[in-house]
Amino acid sequence: MTGEVVLLGFWPSSFGMRVKIALALKGIKYEYKSEDLRDKSPLLLKMNPVHQKIPVLIHNGKPICESLIMVQYIDENTSSQDNQIRHLVCLIENAIINLLKGQEQTAWLIDLLDGR
Ligand SMILES: N[C@@H](CCC(=O)N[C@@H](CS)C(=O)NCC(=O)O)C(=O)O
């Protein structure tokens, strides 16, 4: 996935987290723009005018909405042997959702999402 990649998100959103996992697994560098959902940015309203929801993935100026579609898009627009990243995203997502009580157990997952 070459060119400019921007993710509009809001940190507690599990939909946004799903996209962050896919980007991290594929090693894609991107700019993260945090949205205030009570005061949505002109960029969000322009990129997702119908639903006005995050996340929105913007690839070279083109918006992709709906987190599962984004994961599929990331999968299909990057080189990999089998384009199976969406299944791995689902596994990690479930792991994060089920392990949140012990912060230390999820530290590596949080680092992964932040690209550290
Ligand atoms: N089906 C969408 C759900 C996105 C969604 O519900 N986003 C919420 C935040 S988690 C949102 O932007 N809410 C703001 C609003 O509804 O005005 C997806 O998978 O991307």
Side-chain angles (χ1 to χ4, degrees):
M1 231 165 104
T2 54
E4 190 193 39
V5 181
V6 177
L7 178 64
L8 306 183
F10 175 54
W11 70 267
S13 167
S14 57
F15 302 109
M17 181 180 77
R18 173 184 286 161
V19 183
K20 280 181 162 190
I21 294 170
L23 290 165
L25 286 173
K26 290 286 191 167
I28 296 167
K29 298 268 177 253
Y30 62 99
E31 183 184 355
Y32 182 75
K33 291 189 177 175
S34 185
E35 284 289 331
D36 177 351
L37 296 183
R38 290 164 302 178
D39 182 21
K40 296 172 182 172
S41 73
L43 183 62
L44 174 58
L45 301 181
K46 182 178 167 202
M47 292 292 153
N48 191 355
V50 177
H51 299 294
Q52 306 183 349
K53 289 185 177 189
I54 58 91
V56 180
L57 185 69
I58 309 170
H59 184 209
N60 291 328
K62 185 178 100 177
I64 300 113
C65 300
E66 284 298 320
S67 56
L68 286 175
I69 304 290
M70 291 173 220
V71 172
Q72 187 173 348
Y73 180 89
I74 292 163
D75 212 356
E76 290 175 355
N77 286 277
T78 48
S79 56
S80 78
Q81 289 179 338
D82 52 11
N83 281 352
Q84 294 291 303
I85 219 77
R86 70 197 77 165
H87 304 303
L88 201 46
V89 168
C90 183
L91 284 175
I92 295 177
E93 195 180 327
N94 283 328
I96 291 174
I97 289 165
N98 290 320
L99 287 178
L100 270 183
K101 283 184 203 119
Q103 284 287 313
E104 69 287 349
Q105 291 169 306
T106 60
W108 69 271
L109 289 169
I110 292 163
D111 286 351
L112 172 79
L113 295 184
D114 289 339
R116 288 194 286 253

